[in-house]
Amino acid sequence: MEKNEKYCQDSRTVTTHYILPSDTNGHGTLYGGRLMEMIDSIAYLAFAKHTRLVGVTASMDQLNFIAPLPEGDAVTIDTFVSGVSNRSVEVFCKVTGEHPQKGKTYLAATAFLTFVATQKPEHPEGIVAVIPQTDEEKLVCEGYERRRKARLNDREKDKEFNNRLTLN
């Protein structure tokens, strides 16, 4: 591995949270906004581990809710850097649920987030590259360029849309 590369594993950040009644909606499942907050927080740590820079969330893309997370279950959020460009970093997030008494785990959600460094990277080439090792990391990382191009295209469309909105 080169000095200007890091493995996905180097940025991997995982947290587990027990779902309490205060975390739930009227259906007794984890409130989507609460999950989004948790995802953003843990994904930022993956960004910071990889870059060692300060940054901000630019977007949360493709947040897919796959299965509800009921009160009393555990929710685990597993993140790692899945792609980098000059000043931006994509972080993949896999959310799993577990029923503690049954030991049954299930895929609950996935998401991609983009963070932008607010500091200049130390390396002249920009943020160091990410190298996938496992089959899952390779699967996730192989779609990075396609997702990045789609985000850049959507950003231009969003600018046009936003410029047409009124402020009163």
Side-chain angles (χ1 to χ4, degrees), residues 5-116:
E5 298 174 331
K6 288 186 180 182
Y7 295 117
C8 292
Q9 188 64 35
D10 295 333
S11 66
R12 178 160 263 126
T13 308
V14 181
T15 188
T16 301
H17 178 81
Y18 181 66
I19 302 170
L20 298 169
S22 60
D23 297 319
T24 63
N25 57 28
H27 302 287
T29 59
L30 182 62
Y31 176 61
R34 176 76 175 110
L35 180 60
M36 290 172 73
E37 175 189 11
M38 293 163 64
I39 288 170
D40 187 38
S41 177
I42 196 77
Y44 179 81
L45 292 175
F47 159 83
K49 279 180 165 183
H50 183 83
T51 64
R52 299 298 180 201
L53 299 170
V54 175
V56 295
T57 308
S59 65
M60 182 180 285
D61 305 321
Q62 301 175 335
L63 173 56
N64 299 304
F65 294 100
I66 298 165
L69 292 152
E71 175 187 334
D73 277 11
V75 56
T76 298
I77 302 169
D78 184 356
T79 64
F80 62 85
V81 169
S82 52
V84 301
S85 65
N86 197 25
R87 301 248 340 233
S88 67
V89 173
E90 179 188 79
V91 176
F92 172 69
C93 175
K94 178 173 66 174
V95 179
T96 56
E98 180 181 359
H99 189 284
Q101 288 73 32
K102 296 179 184 174
K104 178 186 170 201
T105 59
Y106 53 94
L107 183 62
T110 60
F112 288 94
L113 291 85
T114 301
F115 294 87
V116 175

